[in-house]
Each structure stands twice: as structure tokens, then as C-alpha cells.
Amino acid sequence: MTPLPPFHDDLDAALAQVWRLLEEGPALRRNAFHMPALATVDADGQPQVRTVVLRAADRAAGTLRFHCDRRSAKAAEIAASGVAALHGYDSASKIQIRAAGPATLHTDDALAEAAWTGAMAMSRVCYGADPAPGAILPEGHAYTLPDAETALTLGRPNFCAAILRVARLEFLYLDRRGHRRAAWERADGWAGCWLVP
Ligand SMILES: Cc1cc2nc3c(=O)[nH]c(=O)nc-3n(C[C@H](O)[C@H](O)[C@H](O)COP(=O)(O)O)c2cc1C
């Protein structure tokens, strides 16, 4: 039987493991936290969820970054509610992570500019979609995307970097010998506590 991982009964090690997985997420395509689910609440109070690419995780600041089109429903929902949550489950390590907190959209500041500059040409093209994301089409192909060069000017105004400032982090580790669940909150200095799984 494989030995239990060091974080099995160590809250600090569990928190470190959570951030390790999140920080690896943006670079590692096979990591489940490369493409977490983003949850928001819409104007009718209804939950909405979809996949996004995790672009950056910063343990020191306790933030997670993803990108979206400012014309999209998710951007409107974040702007209106000011909150969001991200979720991922990594079947290889059997770890689920949930992160929730206030979220902000960055469109015209240095953060947005750096994120846009760092984005791949292929990704930038999506922000030049016409009509806007979510618009009803008469046929599936009835929209256009700019070429990479045109996307630089056409896509940039629609691009935004979203920052989730994590207020609460939750971890669930599955193991036949005993599941482990823990949560940490920014408000109490990330002290953390174990929870019944
Ligand atoms: C693998 C994958 C990665 C995606 N990454 C993003 C992303 O990083 N940002 C984004 O806005 N949408 C991304 N999408 C599309 C969204 O999941 C969603 O379908 C779309 O943005 C419309 O969402 P909304 O109407 O709720 O705004 C991704 C979809 C998939 C399947």
C-alpha cells in the first residue's frame, strides 16, 4: 500500500499542496487546475458555471487569474456581483480544490496590459469575435474572427484579466484509509481547520 502523503494529517502541508497544484496549473496542461470550472451568479440569482484556463496563481497574494471577453456573460456577472469561485478536481492526486472570493475585472490597467502582451496570438484572436460572445446566430458559422494582426487592435478593447482574490480555500483529499477535508480563510490569516469530508 502506498504511504499516506505528508499532507494527510498536516494542515500547513495541505495548504502548501493546494497552492503547489494551483501554481503548477497554468503551465501544466495535464494538471486539472489548468482548466478549472468558474462559477458565478447571474442577474436572476441563478448559478452559472463554465471552464476557464487558469493563467496565474500567486500564493503570497492569494490570487488566481483567468482571462475573458469583457462582453461575455461571465464578465457581466463578475462586474455586477463582485464575486466568483473556481473549482477543480485532479484525479491523479485525488485532490479537489475550491476557491471563492471577491473578483475584479482588469481592462485598461497595467495588469491587463501585461496579461494581453503575454497572451498567445491564437488566444488574442478570440477577443475580436464579431458579434459578441453569446449573441444568437442564424447559423453556427455566422461569426467572424480577425487575423492575428488585426486582433491586436480589434481584440484588445474586449480583453480582460479577471482576478479572484481568494477569501476561502477548501481542499478534499480522497483516500480509502480516510478522506481529509480542510478549509482556510483569509480573514483568519489562513489558519485553517479540518472538516468532516
Ligand atoms: C477547455 C476550455 C477552456 C476555456 N477557457 C476559457 C477561458 O480561459 N476564458 C473564457 O472566457 N472562456 C473559456 N472557455 C469558454 C467558456 O467555458 C464558455 O463556454 C464561454 O466563455 C461562454 O461563457 P459565458 O457565457 O458564461 O461568459 C473555455 C472552454 C473550454 C472548453
Side-chain angles (χ1 to χ4, degrees):
M1 193 168 286
T2 51
L4 287 166
F7 54 76
H8 194 252
D9 278 315
D10 181 334
L11 263 183
D12 291 342
L15 183 60
Q17 177 69 6
V18 165
W19 279 107
R20 188 175 309 118
L21 289 167
L22 291 172
E23 289 184 329
E24 283 174 1
L28 287 186
R29 285 181 177 273
R30 275 176 293 119
N31 176 322
F33 308 104
H34 185 66
M35 291 179 189
L38 166 73
T40 51
V41 180
D42 72 15
D44 299 321
Q46 297 301 309
Q48 299 292 343
V49 66
R50 77 291 275 164
T51 312
V52 292
V53 176
L54 183 64
R55 302 292 176 175
D58 181 340
R59 180 176 179 175
T63 56
L64 302 170
R65 172 164 61 88
F66 56 93
H67 299 164
C68 64
D69 193 306
R70 73 197 302 180
R71 303 167 296 171
S72 66
K74 70 180 80 55
E77 289 155 11
I78 289 170
S81 70
V83 293
L86 286 165
H87 158 274
Y89 172 64
D90 187 52
S91 55
S93 58
K94 298 188 177 166
I95 290 175
Q96 172 182 262
I97 297 174
R98 300 159 72 183
T104 46
L105 301 176
H106 298 257
T107 51
D108 302 317
D109 56 8
L111 191 153
E113 200 50 42
W116 173 256
T117 308
M120 296 205 301
M122 200 176 64
S123 308
R124 289 183 188 147
V125 161
C126 302
Y127 298 96
D130 182 36
I136 293 173
L137 299 173
E139 292 180 276
H141 60 78
Y143 67 97
T144 58
L145 293 173
D147 59 45
E149 187 63 30
T150 317
L152 290 174
T153 48
L154 217 57
R156 177 64 186 88
N158 299 327
F159 173 82
C160 68
I163 300 287
L164 174 65
R165 188 168 188 271
V166 182
R168 180 183 167 88
L169 255 187
E170 203 177 300
F171 152 98
L172 176 66
Y173 171 65
L174 302 178
D175 191 295
R176 273 182 298 142
R177 294 161 289 182
H179 305 324
R180 289 293 183 270
R181 180 180 175 192
W184 299 265
E185 297 206 356
R186 184 186 291 271
D188 68 9
W190 304 115
C193 60
W194 296 109
L195 302 169
V196 178

